[in-house]
Amino acid sequence: MTKFQPRKTFAIIAHPDAGKTTLTEKLLLFGGAIQQAGEVKAKGERRRARSDWMKVEQERGISVASSVMTFDYNGISFNLLDTPGHEDFSEDTYRVLTAVDSAVMVLDVAKGIETQTKKLFEVCRLRNIPILTFINKMDREGLDPFMLLDDIEKTLALDVSPASWPIGMGKEFVGCYDLINDQLILMNKKGGANDIIEKAKGIDDPKIDELLPSHLAVKLREDVTMIRELCPAFDLESFLNGSMTPVFFGSAVNNFGVKEVLEGLHDIAPTPRKQSTIERLVSPDENKVTGFVFKIQANMDPKHRDRIAFMRICSGHFKRGMKLLQVRTGKEIKVPTPVMFLAQDRELAEDAFAGDIIGIPNHGQLRIGDTLTEGEKIQFTGIPTFAPELLKSVRSTDPLKSKHLGNALMQIAEEGGASVFKPTIGAEWIVGAVGTLQFDVMADRIKNEFNIPVMFEPTQYYTARWVSSDDSATMKKFTDENRTCVAEDHDGEVVFLARNSWHLNKMSEDYPKLVLTKTREQTFNK
Ligand code: G4P
């Protein structure tokens, strides 16, 4: 990938089962990155078979690991960042969303906005990420399209502007009316990727009556008249600032409507945005390379304990072999073997530009939140760590291996796999997760990668909060007086482990100058 093409970096957000994997696959198909549907899954299965810890993923039938897929379409390089759909891994998903410039929100026509859709949307909203909406599974009976628009508008407080409108639903679904180009896009019922496109001279064109059964033609006209009265016209600026979403309808499994989403991304999704650092805004067209690590993935190959750090390039022209400054440590890191991801394959990245994601193999030097630059000491902001909602204590069932447990836990924490806390008193380790499944994945990894059998047990602690204060005397008083419930996280930050909600409230009352937070930014700006 040496030739420069504009980049568009996006993610698909969806509640599990809405059709994210299917849409991903079909986008790759249209983008020419794979030749036939089913390849993503087939390769995924082969890859999973190679990796032991991913057995958990296989057994539970969920997708835990997320990856990056790059493909070209009509002169634009798209980077699609996959996000794990299962709610237990939402923390990872949140971080992935810090690395994209736009998102496609997939809804199941029968379900509308679901819990996970809402959570993910809220993360996008925090960063004003523009969103295209794809209402999927139109080949099944579902909610009335007007109700769906209303649902999006009310639940997400987002203006909706349909780009296409469905004709029929379920067994009667025949295609869509393209409201932007005034044309009928009819589903090719014989399968295949090519829809039948019929230009119309507006919604009253008699051609529509020739092509559609009369009741569908009548309904389409009524609907379109209503949309044009009720819905705001598409406004690019409102889309780009995240306050309006264009809505497409389709059926990913039937290839229908996917091309329109891709064209939509091509035409209106933004190119790389400016990124905030503590010091200044970084513009994508600056000459020097800057970027941040938003994800670490270990054991893509369990035989080599390598980790891949996923770095989003924010500016400059990265070239293979470059030396970059790791701002947190002040050390120079040489990057001789960066990788890029094409569909599910990796290849060496010779060049990369703002918006691209490169994978940097390393042995643990790189951490989530790290900023890499050509020398400038800046720190990108906005990469969150969340207070875990579940806490357990962990011990090795083999006493001889106990002393290595800390290492294994730290390594997993640095990769963002879970939170790990070392209480000031005692030899116990506390592990925090956002969902229970994370414990299973951890136990599996610690056993397979580090050869340490572990057990998770209930703990007396109920929740964790990061602690800070502008007043060092308060900080000292707090840590001295509460030694039994003070711990450090893997970065050495002070954490308060509360025994119950009363305990948590009491601490805020007893130490008014103390700041207790549920999220911590990975900024290393100490
Ligand atoms: P996810 O990644 O969001 O979890 O969803 P995924 O794409 O895996 O899709 C979930 C299920 O919905 C799959 O069925 C998939 O085939 C089906 N699906 C996706 N798009 C459409 C569509 O447009 N119409 C219909 N009718 N179904 C759709 P499954 O039975 O769980 O898996 P599979 O055996 O078909 O792969």
Side-chain angles (χ1 to χ4, degrees), residues 125-391:
R125 165 146 290 168
L126 282 178
R127 303 182 59 242
N128 300 329
I129 293 178
I131 292 183
L132 283 90
T133 301
F134 180 66
I135 298 186
N136 191 26
K137 306 197 186 179
M138 290 307 300
D139 59 314
R140 288 209 186 144
E141 290 303 326
L143 302 168
D144 178 79
F146 282 103
M147 273 178 63
L148 283 162
L149 296 189
D150 203 46
D151 189 21
I152 303 172
E153 201 165 353
K154 296 230 167 78
T155 316
L156 306 182
L158 192 63
D159 287 335
V160 285
S161 178
S164 65
W165 195 254
I167 308 168
M169 186 188 277
K171 284 202 187 71
E172 270 210 322
F173 179 66
V174 291
C176 283
Y177 187 77
D178 175 343
L179 291 158
I180 300 166
N181 304 302
D182 269 312
Q183 55 191 11
L184 283 173
I185 308 172
L186 300 175
M187 195 154 85
N188 186 348
K189 295 245 169 172
K190 292 192 197 104
N194 293 326
D195 305 321
I196 302 152
I197 297 190
E198 293 283 348
K199 270 268 174 222
K201 291 193 199 79
I203 194 68
D204 293 319
D205 194 330
K207 200 192 230 174
I208 293 178
D209 302 284
E210 286 163 29
L211 292 163
L212 299 180
S214 65
H215 69 290
L216 291 182
V218 170
K219 173 97 174 52
L220 176 65
R221 288 203 176 98
E222 279 173 16
D223 285 357
V224 170
T225 313
M226 234 158 94
I227 294 160
R228 291 193 166 143
E229 273 170 23
L230 296 177
C231 297
F234 178 73
D235 175 51
L236 187 61
E237 203 177 310
S238 309
F239 163 70
L240 292 175
N241 70 28
S243 63
M244 175 183 274
T245 181
V247 181
F248 298 82
F249 292 82
S251 169
V253 82
N254 290 302
N255 293 325
F256 188 81
V258 177
K259 191 151 177 256
E260 285 65 36
V261 171
L262 188 53
E263 297 277 353
L265 284 165
H266 180 278
D267 294 347
I268 60 171
T271 48
R273 52 165 58 197
K274 290 184 177 161
Q275 299 280 347
S276 309
T277 67
I278 294 173
E279 295 76 10
R280 64 183 188 88
L281 270 181
V282 172
S283 170
D285 46 26
E286 291 178 19
N287 289 333
K288 295 257 166 92
V289 172
T290 63
F292 62 85
V293 174
F294 62 94
K295 179 183 169 61
I296 305 269
Q297 190 154 333
N299 282 38
M300 284 176 126
D301 182 348
K303 285 198 201 80
H304 306 278
R305 193 167 297 164
D306 69 335
R307 304 193 202 181
I308 302 273
F310 289 79
M311 172 165 100
R312 148 118 192 183
I313 310 246
C314 299
S315 65
H317 176 182
F318 169 86
K319 295 193 197 79
R320 184 160 82 88
M322 249 181 168
K323 284 186 191 141
L324 294 174
L325 171 74
Q326 179 182 28
V327 176
R328 173 172 58 86
T329 58
K331 288 194 182 132
E332 232 178 30
I333 294 207
K334 192 153 189 250
V335 193
T337 52
V339 285
M340 265 199 162
F341 306 84
L342 292 156
Q344 297 279 332
D345 295 325
R346 304 192 211 174
E347 66 173 38
L348 271 184
E350 296 295 340
D351 303 86
F353 300 90
D356 283 338
I357 311 296
I358 57 168
I360 307 179
N362 69 102
H363 296 292
Q365 304 93 310
L366 289 169
R367 296 218 196 143
I368 290 171
D370 262 339
T371 295
L372 297 175
T373 69
E374 280 190 59
E376 190 180 353
K377 291 186 179 130
I378 48 172
Q379 174 63 55
F380 286 100
T381 57
I383 303 149
T385 288
F386 296 86
E389 283 158 31
L390 302 162
L391 295 175

Side-chain angles (χ1 to χ4, degrees), residues 422-461:
K422 180 87 190 87
T424 326
I425 294 178
E428 175 189 35
W429 289 92
I430 304 291
V431 170
V434 178
T436 48
L437 194 61
Q438 261 171 290
F439 291 116
D440 297 354
V441 174
M442 261 190 113
D444 208 65
R445 286 194 55 190
I446 297 171
K447 185 159 163 277
N448 289 313
E449 287 171 36
F450 299 91
N451 199 19
I452 308 172
V454 290
M455 253 182 77
F456 288 97
E457 290 169 331
T459 134
Q460 53 171 325
Y461 303 116

